Amino acid sequence: MGQLLIDAHSHLWLKQDTRIDGKRILSLKNGRSIFFDEEVQMLPPFMIDGQNTAEVFLSNMDYAQVGGAVVVQELIDGCQNDYLADVQRRYSGRFFCMGMAWNVDEAKAVIDLGLKGIAFPGHRMTQPLTDLMPVFKLMEQHDLVCSMCLGDDETQIAQMREVIQECPQLRVAIGHFGMPTTPSFRSQVLLAREGKNVMVESGGITWLYNPEFYPYPTAVRRIREAAEWVGMDRLMWGSDYPRTITAITYRMSYDFVSKSKEFTDGEKSLFLGENARRFYGFENLPELPYIKNMSE
């Protein structure tokens, strides 16, 4: 392909075993999980042990020619700090792993583990984001990246704007592409205008537009719109691996962009890898050859 590819939004876990609002989330076998007390296909069925490991992801990345990946966290998977710290140590050249923390002491523990950022599922939070200002300031001091997924409405926009203004050196990645299927889409994307270190990544966009399915023409239009608002240099591709690949292949999570005629080659290069390389600081990524499918 000859294209630098970096995934700015993915997930890893050894086992899901948590509760949210009293409802169970638990890994089962054959890719299934109890999800808010309902059995769902969380992973592809060939991931039979319920584990979503770095080794399986690396195999997918190599096949799809994806050089590096940012690993964020979500409450629904439980805290994976210890596992992701181990992944970061073993595969430092391929992964940029983020911890989970809700106060300064937990953030210091994330730093001690060697993780490179903290992911906040803000859309699941009830407290104001500004309550975490001491955590954001500590992250800014230690150059940790903030991954932030915001709620569906405008409630958290002003709060996030205040965080960006109070911590101008904090690198912030707005997740889930600013929720393009909701009323807060434009406001979330425009947060990238609030500071020089604010980006927007598209993790989960194929899930949001799953009803229309591949090649996701509306998702393409939303990326085009966001580029017009803030510039393609503020946007990054993210897959939301592995949940999205119960519906599509990992390669399909980006090639609906790489095959689109709505973007120039330069825009594709920025969106699919160059922006993430610059923002996260990836270096010396491997050159991954295209391996022909047996069916070709």
Side-chain angles (χ1 to χ4, degrees), residues 136-178:
F136 295 129
K137 287 185 177 294
L138 180 68
M139 293 173 64
E140 181 184 35
Q141 179 185 347
H142 289 269
D143 196 28
L144 266 65
V145 173
C146 171
S147 169
M148 178 64 71
C149 293
L150 298 171
D152 294 356
D153 57 28
E154 299 279 338
T155 303
Q156 295 176 320
I157 302 300
Q159 299 169 15
M160 195 65 227
R161 186 179 297 115
E162 183 176 346
V163 171
I164 293 166
Q165 292 171 351
E166 286 288 316
C167 305
Q169 301 306 315
L170 178 65
R171 288 181 286 164
V172 177
I174 303 297
H176 294 165
F177 210 59

Side-chain angles (χ1 to χ4, degrees), residues 128-295:
L129 300 179
T130 48
D131 285 359
L132 296 173
M133 195 68 76
V135 176
F136 295 129
K137 287 185 177 294
L138 180 68
M139 293 173 64
E140 181 184 35
Q141 179 185 347
H142 289 269
D143 196 28
L144 266 65
V145 173
C146 171
S147 169
M148 178 64 71
C149 293
L150 298 171
D152 294 356
D153 57 28
E154 299 279 338
T155 303
Q156 295 176 320
I157 302 300
Q159 299 169 15
M160 195 65 227
R161 186 179 297 115
E162 183 176 346
V163 171
I164 293 166
Q165 292 171 351
E166 286 288 316
C167 305
Q169 301 306 315
L170 178 65
R171 288 181 286 164
V172 177
I174 303 297
H176 294 165
F177 210 59
M179 293 302 292
T181 58
T182 73
S184 69
F185 173 47
R186 190 171 189 274
S187 296
Q188 289 200 36
V189 171
L190 288 178
L191 286 169
R193 287 186 178 177
E194 296 294 329
K196 63 180 181 179
N197 296 311
V198 184
M199 303 287 283
V200 181
E201 46 90 345
S202 72
I205 199 168
T206 61
W207 164 69
L208 292 169
Y209 289 101
N210 187 63
E212 76 175 19
F213 205 61
Y214 186 89
Y216 307 107
T218 307
V220 168
R221 288 195 294 272
R222 296 293 89 84
I223 296 170
R224 183 76 269 163
E225 286 176 352
E228 292 171 358
W229 295 336
V230 299
M232 190 62 83
D233 61 331
R234 293 301 184 98
L235 309 179
M236 303 181 292
W237 164 64
S239 71
D240 211 4
Y241 174 98
R243 283 178 269 269
T244 49
I245 64 167
T246 57
I248 58 175
T249 67
Y250 186 44
R251 186 183 294 273
M252 290 166 70
S253 70
Y254 69 77
D255 75 0
F256 77 96
V257 173
S258 66
K259 292 179 178 178
S260 173
K261 296 180 180 179
E262 298 299 316
F263 309 106
T264 67
D265 288 345
E267 288 174 326
K268 292 174 184 179
S269 179
L270 290 174
F271 181 73
L272 293 173
E274 288 296 339
N275 291 338
R277 181 193 58 77
R278 170 180 53 83
F279 182 72
Y280 294 104
F282 280 96
E283 297 179 344
N284 302 318
L285 292 174
E287 293 187 11
L288 300 168
Y290 177 75
I291 304 299
K292 185 177 71 173
N293 289 328
M294 185 193 72
S295 58

Side-chain angles (χ1 to χ4, degrees), residues 4-12 53-54 56-62 65-72 84 87-88 91-98 116 236-242 250 272-273 276-277 280-283 285-286 288:
L4 174 65
L5 298 167
I6 296 175
D7 188 342
H9 189 117
S10 66
H11 300 274
L12 295 173
T53 65
V56 173
F57 190 20
L58 281 169
S59 180
N60 273 281
M61 290 167 63
D62 289 352
Q65 297 174 276
V66 175
V70 179
V71 183
V72 300
L84 293 187
V87 170
Q88 189 65 66
Y91 304 111
S92 61
R94 303 293 298 276
F95 291 121
F96 186 107
C97 295
M98 297 199 182
K116 296 189 171 187
M236 303 181 292
W237 164 64
S239 71
D240 211 4
Y241 174 98
Y250 186 44
L272 293 173
R277 181 193 58 77
Y280 294 104
F282 280 96
E283 297 179 344
L285 292 174
L288 300 168

